[in-house]
Amino acid sequence: MANVAELAAAALTHGGGILRLAPTWVPRSFLQPGRRLKLHPADYYALGAHRGGIDERWFASTTPAANEGATPDEGLSYCVHDGQRFTLQDAVGELGAEMVGEAIWGEFGRWPVYSKFFDNMGPIPHHMHQNAEQAKLVGQEGKPESYYFPPQLNAIGNNFPYTFMGLEPGTSKQDVIDCLARWDDGDNGILDLSKAYRLKPGTGWLIPPCVLHAPGSLVTYEPQWGSDVFGMYQSLVEG
């Protein structure tokens, strides 16, 4: 195979400055696919039932998916050119500023963001993404993210088009600790401390790090920082 720098440069030239990437599909073992991502019905469990159904499509990703049992390149975007393929991660590493621009390369030395569609039949468990200081303790980066609910992909809302967000005023640290202590008792009751908001296609919001959220069942476009770090606070969903 030609070296990545040559392949990436040729692919950029061929695309008129646009690097065309192959679809990147990611499963989540704790969720049920919403089946609105235009994936062939036979392919939702293409990686095996033990890996879970494919419910996410990642775009322009140089971030590996933090999934148990994942291959090292799960979540990474690939470019296919002239019968050969290479990761966007490797292309950025080889071409640097030529690929991502002087400002981004100078500050981060990589492509530091990616985006995705996620599409689930029901809600995602109440969870949060650590900030930079917290994530650094486990060798990761913090993760702010934002959501947009595209009307074109949300003709139906599936099972629960509402998102629980944050904690209700008056919730104490001990209340949360008590919920976590009930993790193996079934539903640990963390949602009793939160409030749900109805999702409206054509709208969206920003989720800073450290904010608990349980995203609802609309197809969601999610630009985010290049990290897959998270902490789960809800023990059981739709159980």
Side-chain angles (χ1 to χ4, degrees):
M1 185 177 81
N3 69 53
V4 171
E6 292 176 355
L7 275 175
L12 275 174
T13 300
H14 182 76
I18 297 173
L19 189 67
R20 299 186 181 276
L21 301 172
T24 301
W25 304 104
V26 175
R28 296 296 190 186
S29 61
F30 50 87
L31 296 167
Q32 182 181 355
R35 298 178 179 269
R36 293 165 294 187
L37 292 183
K38 303 179 182 178
L39 190 61
H40 190 283
D43 289 337
Y44 280 102
Y45 290 87
L47 300 177
H50 66 291
R51 293 295 321 284
I54 292 171
D55 64 337
E56 298 184 1
R57 179 177 176 178
W58 292 18
F59 301 97
S61 170
T62 61
T63 301
N67 282 336
E68 185 176 355
T71 58
D73 64 346
E74 187 164 286
L76 299 182
S77 292
Y78 275 87
C79 178
V80 180
H81 177 71
D82 198 23
Q84 301 184 76
R85 70 177 197 151
F86 54 90
T87 66
L88 176 62
Q89 183 184 64
D90 287 341
V92 171
E94 290 289 338
L95 297 184
E98 182 181 350
M99 181 72 72
V100 300
E102 293 285 354
I104 288 176
W105 184 254
E107 184 170 355
F108 302 108
R110 67 186 185 101
W111 177 240
V113 295
Y114 69 105
S115 60
K116 70 169 75 164
F117 281 137
F118 68 78
D119 171 31
N120 296 295
M121 193 62 69
I124 297 175
H126 216 31
H127 67 284
M128 55 81 86
H129 302 288
Q130 290 82 353
N131 62 26
E133 182 181 359
Q134 295 163 343
K136 188 177 181 180
L137 297 175
V138 292
Q140 301 285 334
E141 294 191 29
K143 183 182 176 182
E145 59 190 23
S146 53
Y147 293 169
Y148 176 70
F149 313 114
Q152 300 90 334
L153 297 178
N154 281 298
I156 56 173
N158 281 357
N159 293 351
F160 195 78
Y162 304 84
T163 287
F164 280 89
M165 189 80 72
L167 297 168
E168 282 285 82
T171 300
S172 69
K173 183 176 181 179
Q174 190 60 49
D175 291 334
V176 177
I177 292 172
D178 290 344
C179 285
L180 296 178
R182 294 193 294 269
W183 192 268
D184 293 324
D185 296 344
D187 181 2
N188 67 344
I190 190 70
L191 295 186
D192 296 338
L193 307 179
S194 187
K195 179 185 289 185
Y197 298 83
R198 181 172 175 265
L199 304 182
K200 182 179 180 180
T203 68
W205 48 52
L206 174 68
I207 306 290
C210 302
V211 174
L212 284 168
H213 54 294
S217 57
L218 291 191
V219 177
T220 301
Y221 177 66
E222 183 183 10
Q224 61 201 274
W225 194 252
S227 172
D228 200 27
V229 67
F230 58 89
M232 285 295 181
Y233 281 68
Q234 185 178 355
S235 59
L236 191 65
V237 178
E238 295 189 313

